[in-house]
Amino acid sequence: MILALETSCDETAAALVEEDGTIRSSVVSSQADLHARYGGVVPEVASRRHLELVVPVIREALEQGNASLDDVTRIGVTRGPGLIGALLVGLSAAKALAWARRLPLAPVDHLHGHVASLFLEPGPVDPPFLCLLASGGHTLLLDVQAHDGFRVLGTTLDDAAGEAFDKGARLLGLGYPGGAAIDRLAREGEPTAYDFPRARVPGLDFSFSGVKTALLYTVRDLTPKELERRRADLAASYQRAIVGALVDRTRAAAEETGAGRIAVVGGVAANSELRAALPDAALAPLELCTDNAAMIGSAARFVEPVAYPQYLALDAYATSS
Amino acid sequence: MGRGLVLAFDTATEVAASALVDDGEVLGERTSRAVTLLEDVDALLRQAGARPADLGGLAVGTGPGSFTGVRIGLATARGLALALDLGVAGVSTLAALAAGAPGALPVIDARRREVFVADPAPRALAPDALELEPGTVCVGDGAVRYRATLEAAGAEIPPDDDERHVLRARFHAALATAFGPAELVEPIYVRIPDADRALR
Ligand SMILES: [Zn+2]
């Protein structure tokens, strides 16, 4: 059984995952409320909270999984990419656990973790497939041919899709996190009310800075009263532009690679318009779409584990090389 | 005291210090960087012919120092404590430095042109704002870095290679008295996050 830890951004998470992909337990302590007052994730605030929560979430995962550390045969942990100070909390705790118990350690790439959320029981989705990974930190198109990795086909040149939702929500006065708030309000609005631009970048890459700027200018030109009246239309049109860009590129990538199947992972997979626009896409359950440790445990099954004592000097990395 | 084998470490400053102490007898002491701390720990136990399960307690430096460094030490201590069911004692990095240099004032580099000192509670201030009795001996990486400023204020700073500037984890072990639940050992950050300052 794998004990997995995830502390790359603002969720402190631990999970127990069996070798066959069955989740024994998955505990996620979200810091969203903590960061709401800043309007976004503050790395130092997140790192401090991870230190407070990392052992409590491990204890909780063991308790919920009706297991003890004696049942754990391997430690899986997110090594990057993410907030370096946050990653180092989870990695330090994971190394300490592994060293004390003489267990092998599986260092997991966070993006691989998101993809591997699809490999969990029940109803795993097996490669090959084309994967759209869209979250607050990432927007990527991945060609997934095997369980142990992927090829990057496209990425965002500026903001991540989830970040664009958060920034848009802030412009519309909707609070943080913004994805769910925009999704909710957009249902009451007219998606064609405003013609926000979709980025024209070559290839399979994304750009969301243009649509964000367009929203900024539009909001700035409205009186508070007008903004109040048009808020739902703005949310619907803004969402349409972002989701449209995601869907266009995903379909183009599927065509280019001849992928028979499309999968969507990451927090933005919760967006109802995106789900409706890609009806045949494979989706992980919502609680596995946002950051969690079960997906890290899942990826750990396919990573070459590092034996004691080779991992003792292992460092975290902030960005993918 | 019967604590037996105590593993002590401190990763708050640039140089990570670790030591293995058996009922007051120092079995080994090492220095490296925070991220390679466990390599040192592993080597210390191997040299002593000990296994992780033989440990009787942990003494960990709680800062002040680099935020990330302090957290690496505490996250490591909490992970070890959970895995081995060990009690943990927190020792201020300033107190450990002071224990290695009797009579001296420990000064830790706090970056941003500030230093950490115990006053008596730890705080951060600009080196030239430090009020010193003439002839006060200052030790630590902050004393070395701001030698000119501190000497101008009347301090005496030992040569850069004087060992009193170096944090040694044997002193954490010596100062560790109350071993308790790891979660109760809290980091000494001194500073609040910049984002909180901005909100005020
Ligand atoms: Zn993520």
Side-chain angles (χ1 to χ4, degrees):
Chain A
M1 187 157 55
I2 298 164
L3 169 63
L5 304 182
E6 153 65 37
T7 63
S8 69
C9 189
D10 63 340
E11 323 279 358
T12 318
L16 289 173
V17 176
E18 311 262 16
E19 293 294 341
D20 69 357
T22 305
I23 303 173
R24 277 280 285 267
S25 64
S26 178
V27 177
V28 180
S29 180
S30 174
Q31 304 179 7
D33 293 347
L34 183 65
H35 295 280
R37 55 201 293 249
Y38 311 101
V41 177
V42 180
E44 178 57 24
V45 173
S47 302
R48 290 185 182 196
R49 196 78 180 122
H50 283 308
L51 178 64
E52 291 167 14
L53 292 171
V54 65
V55 167
V57 298
I58 296 170
R59 284 190 203 280
E60 184 69 25
L62 290 168
E63 197 170 307
Q64 283 185 19
N66 220 343
S68 81
L69 279 176
D70 296 338
D71 303 314
V72 175
T73 53
R74 190 165 6 141
I75 307 285
V77 64
T78 309
R79 193 182 167 199
L83 307 171
I84 196 76
L87 288 161
L88 282 167
V89 172
L91 183 60
S92 299
K95 281 161 63 174
L97 286 169
W99 175 81
R101 296 266 168 166
R102 293 293 187 262
L103 295 172
L105 185 97
V108 172
D109 182 273
H110 183 79
L111 308 179
H112 185 211
H114 273 298
V115 172
S117 68
L118 294 159
F119 306 154
L120 288 159
E121 293 287 341
V125 180
D126 289 313
F129 54 81
L130 175 85
C131 187
L132 169 66
L133 162 51
S135 69
H138 309 283
T139 307
L140 292 152
L141 280 167
L142 308 170
D143 178 21
V144 183
Q145 291 293 329
H147 288 98
D148 61 354
F150 52 78
R151 186 168 61 96
V152 176
L153 301 170
T155 185
T156 181
L157 303 178
D158 36 61
D159 291 345
E163 206 177 349
F165 274 119
D166 285 340
K167 288 178 176 174
R170 197 164 357 154
L171 290 172
L172 294 173
L174 296 177
Y176 172 88
I182 288 190
D183 197 357
R184 219 174 302 119
L185 186 61
R187 279 170 218 160
E188 300 158 24
E190 176 53 58
T192 54
Y194 293 90
D195 190 19
F196 290 129
R198 292 185 197 178
R200 284 178 218 290
V201 289
L204 294 172
D205 288 334
F206 300 92
S207 166
F208 296 106
S209 63
V211 62
K212 183 191 67 192
T213 309
L215 177 66
L216 170 69
Y217 289 152
T218 308
V219 167
R220 214 174 48 181
D221 291 343
L222 295 176
T223 65
K225 213 171 184 176
E226 284 172 327
L227 174 61
E228 191 52 50
R229 201 159 40 82
R230 303 301 304 270
R231 206 189 301 267
D233 288 343
L234 286 163
S237 304
Y238 187 69
Q239 174 169 284
R240 178 169 176 260
I242 295 174
V243 170
L246 291 173
V247 172
D248 286 354
R249 289 288 145 110
T250 302
R251 291 212 182 284
E255 207 159 295
E256 211 165 282
T257 57
R261 185 152 45 164
I262 292 171
V264 185
V265 296
V268 178
N271 183 275
S272 61
E273 190 174 330
L274 180 63
R275 288 179 164 247
L278 293 170
D280 301 329
L283 297 158
L286 279 186
E287 68 271 19
L288 295 177
C289 281
T290 46
D291 286 353
N292 63 88
M295 70 184 199
I296 302 304
S298 178
R301 295 182 296 147
F302 304 102
V303 167
E304 190 69 50
V306 183
Y308 163 83
Q310 270 90 34
Y311 51 76
L312 296 177
L314 203 68
D315 204 351
Y317 55 88
T319 51
S320 309
S321 49
Chain B
M1 301 290 280
R3 199 74 219 182
L5 204 56
V6 170
L7 173 65
F9 52 84
D10 189 321
T11 56
T13 59
E14 197 88 29
V15 177
S18 53
L20 189 64
V21 179
D22 188 15
D23 277 328
E25 185 196 346
V26 179
L27 301 183
E29 211 168 20
R30 296 177 74 95
T31 52
S32 65
R33 293 176 306 116
V35 77
T36 52
L37 166 69
L38 279 171
E39 274 192 341
D40 282 359
V41 168
D42 191 57
L44 286 169
L45 266 79
R46 278 170 188 266
Q47 277 160 12
R51 302 171 49 81
D54 298 332
L55 291 173
L58 300 174
V60 61
T62 51
S66 120
F67 294 160
T68 295
V70 168
R71 276 191 290 268
I72 288 174
L74 282 175
T76 302
R78 290 176 185 190
L80 293 175
L82 175 69
L84 301 167
D85 201 15
L86 288 174
V88 180
V91 176
S92 141
T93 304
L94 286 164
L97 203 51
L105 177 74
V107 181
I108 292 176
D109 184 4
R111 315 274 172 87
R112 305 178 176 196
R113 303 181 161 273
E114 288 190 324
V115 292
F116 292 122
V117 291
D119 184 30
R123 67 184 189 111
L125 75 179
D128 57 9
L130 204 56
E131 284 172 23
L132 297 167
E133 296 282 329
T136 304
V137 177
C138 293
V139 297
D141 57 5
V144 170
R145 176 157 180 190
Y146 296 105
R147 170 183 293 280
T149 309
L150 297 176
E151 281 177 348
E156 275 179 30
I157 320 274
D160 286 6
D161 60 359
D162 191 291
E163 69 170 40
R164 282 175 291 176
H165 292 304
V166 182
L167 189 64
R168 285 166 163 261
R170 67 173 66 189
F171 297 112
H172 296 74
L175 293 171
T177 45
F179 291 80
E183 288 96 312
L184 298 184
V185 175
E186 301 218 17
I188 303 173
Y189 289 123
V190 176
R191 292 180 180 133
I192 61 169
D194 292 344
D196 285 327
R197 210 168 310 191
L199 280 186
R200 285 183 168 182

